[in-house]
Amino acid sequence: MSDRTPILAQPMRPPTAGRAAACLGFFVLGAVVGVAGALVQPGWFPGGLLLALAGEAGAVLGAARVVRGRAGGVAAAAGWMLAVILLTASRPEGDFLFAAGSGSYLFLLGGIAVAVICATFAPGRQPDGEPVRLGK
């Protein structure tokens, strides 16, 4: 048995300035990937859809790896979701970016699923930096 305090019982500390700046940068990167995916997916269906979702998965997983925690992946996923949700709104002139078709719905719902899956499967931070061990 260890005499260390469990991670949930420890007080929370604010993130460092570098970590906060990295998460902000990954938020912007996620938004850029979302806009690029929204433009690519209808042009080359179904290859564009797969390319857009693969780009999103790469951005979310890459951000989590760089930050060495799920916060980077969540920041990139949040940027992607915000950009895509804002692009779904139609303008008063009647212009819109997403047509009412299966490709657009697959991009929206599939992108949300990819973001959640990649942010969840990203490696979490360990308190002492050692790999997780379930037994001796």
Side-chain angles (χ1 to χ4, degrees):
M1 291 281 268
S2 174
D3 61 338
R4 294 183 299 180
T5 309
I7 189 77
L8 294 176
Q10 295 176 3
M12 291 185 64
R13 294 174 297 182
T16 62
R19 189 173 176 88
C23 286
L24 181 64
F26 287 127
F27 181 84
V28 172
L29 176 70
V32 169
V33 168
V35 170
L39 296 174
V40 167
Q41 65 90 16
W44 301 322
F45 189 78
L49 174 65
L50 296 174
L51 181 65
L53 294 178
E56 179 199 3
V60 173
L61 284 175
R65 289 262 181 197
V66 169
V67 176
R68 285 205 243 149
R70 291 186 181 106
V74 169
W80 183 90
M81 285 186 201
L82 180 68
V84 170
I85 296 297
L86 290 176
L87 289 174
T88 59
S90 62
R91 297 179 20 172
E93 295 87 16
D95 298 337
F96 59 89
L97 189 60
F98 291 104
S102 62
S104 296
Y105 292 123
L106 283 173
F107 177 68
L108 293 172
L109 298 175
I112 291 171
V114 165
V116 169
I117 290 169
C118 290
T120 302
F121 284 144
R125 291 180 58 199
Q126 298 300 316
D128 54 5
E130 296 177 12
V132 177
R133 299 183 102 166
L134 297 177
K136 286 191 171 198

